[in-house]
Amino acid sequence: MAALDRVKVLVLGDSGVGKSSLVHLLCQNQVLGNPSWTVGCSVDVRIHDYKEGTPEEKTYYIELWDVGGSVGSATSVKSTRAVFYNLLNGIILVHDLTNKKSSQNLYRWSLEALNRDIAPTGVLVTNGDYDREQFADNQIPLLVIGTKLDQIPEIKRNEVLTRTAFLAEDFNAEEINLDCTNPRYLAAGSSNAVKLSRFFDKVIEKRYFLRDGNQVCNFS
């Protein structure tokens, strides 16, 4: 069997939001029974059929890099993580729907990975709101995933999902909300599965194809 082409997707977010459980579900289609804290980075692989069901269908490896560590401004912390950010092709931003701070910290995670937070403090806020212009020219596909949907009371769910919808809009990204302990949220044919497939297709296109659809040689 010929070796498959691959793309590298970072999985970023605060500790405890469920990144490892999400990656395990995406790659193994199983619930992670005993999740633990990720130290440094762990990598798992998902097989994805690009443009499935069309004449252009082709199978790729999706490398999901689950980056551990907490958000912080210390240079040593960022420099340690920086090695994982090389040659990235896409980013999945993960937050805990029950933890508003984890949602707000996605801006810091994304700017760090995209090498936008160059200054020690980073100009992230304008008049109390994050500046969308920082992501306006971003060419790296982003996907926002909210976890622990099952822990949001029905009476508060609409309020929380409205807030996170604005979050995804800031990143110009699609949004998926789920419970990592229930595979049905990513069942084949579901809206979440379609969004996920569309995101991976976009990552592959940015990595291997030009805008006109012609394949390019990329040896990085």
Side-chain angles (χ1 to χ4, degrees):
M1 179 178 177
L4 300 180
D5 289 327
R6 61 185 177 84
V7 292
K8 175 181 177 180
V9 176
L10 296 180
V11 182
L12 302 178
D14 286 2
S15 296
V17 298
K19 298 189 301 296
S20 297
S21 295
L22 173 66
V23 169
H24 191 81
L25 182 61
L26 292 177
C27 296
Q28 310 299 330
N29 196 32
Q30 295 178 345
V31 174
L32 182 60
N34 187 26
S36 58
W37 301 107
T38 299
V39 177
C41 180
S42 64
V43 182
D44 207 341
V45 176
R46 174 188 173 97
I47 296 177
H48 175 72
D49 291 324
Y50 171 74
K51 289 193 173 182
E52 185 176 9
T54 73
E56 292 80 24
E57 180 176 337
K58 182 180 177 181
T59 303
Y60 289 82
Y61 282 136
I62 308 291
E63 292 183 352
L64 294 172
W65 290 54
D66 173 12
V67 179
S70 58
V71 171
S73 59
T75 301
S76 59
V77 174
K78 291 184 178 180
S79 62
T80 299
R81 289 197 295 258
V83 67
F84 304 128
Y85 299 156
N86 293 331
L87 302 176
L88 65 94
N89 305 120
I91 300 175
I92 296 177
L93 297 168
V94 186
H95 64 111
D96 176 352
L97 292 167
T98 70
N99 182 346
K100 188 175 182 179
K101 185 177 180 180
S102 75
S103 304
Q104 295 170 336
N105 281 341
L106 292 185
Y107 294 94
R108 294 184 179 275
W109 280 108
S110 57
L111 290 172
E112 180 182 306
L114 295 171
N115 198 29
R116 303 292 178 83
D117 188 13
I118 298 174
T121 55
V123 182
L124 299 180
V125 183
T126 303
N127 296 327
D129 294 316
Y130 286 88
D131 185 2
R132 295 183 185 179
E133 293 302 316
Q134 294 178 97
F135 304 99
D137 62 346
N138 172 47
Q139 297 299 309
I140 302 296
L142 303 175
L143 177 66
V144 177
I145 295 185
T147 62
K148 307 182 185 180
L149 179 61
D150 58 308
Q151 297 182 24
I152 302 293
E154 286 290 342
I155 193 171
K156 293 185 176 181
R157 188 165 292 188
N158 187 59
E159 175 188 344
V160 171
L161 296 185
T162 298
R163 171 172 55 80
T164 61
F166 282 110
L167 178 73
E169 185 177 333
D170 281 351
F171 291 116
N172 190 29
E174 285 199 287
E175 174 189 40
I176 292 175
N177 297 307
L178 47 69
D179 165 18
C180 293
T181 66
N182 192 337
R184 73 177 180 84
Y185 282 96
L186 291 174
S190 66
S191 61
N192 285 344
V194 171
K195 289 179 182 179
L196 187 66
S197 180
R198 194 157 52 208
F199 168 71
F200 288 142
D201 279 359
K202 186 183 297 185
V203 171
I204 290 167
E205 287 169 356
K206 290 287 187 179
R207 168 69 171 82
Y208 287 103
F209 295 86
L210 295 173
R211 291 182 182 276
D212 63 3
N214 293 322
Q215 192 162 10
V216 297
C217 293
N218 190 328
F219 300 104
S220 60

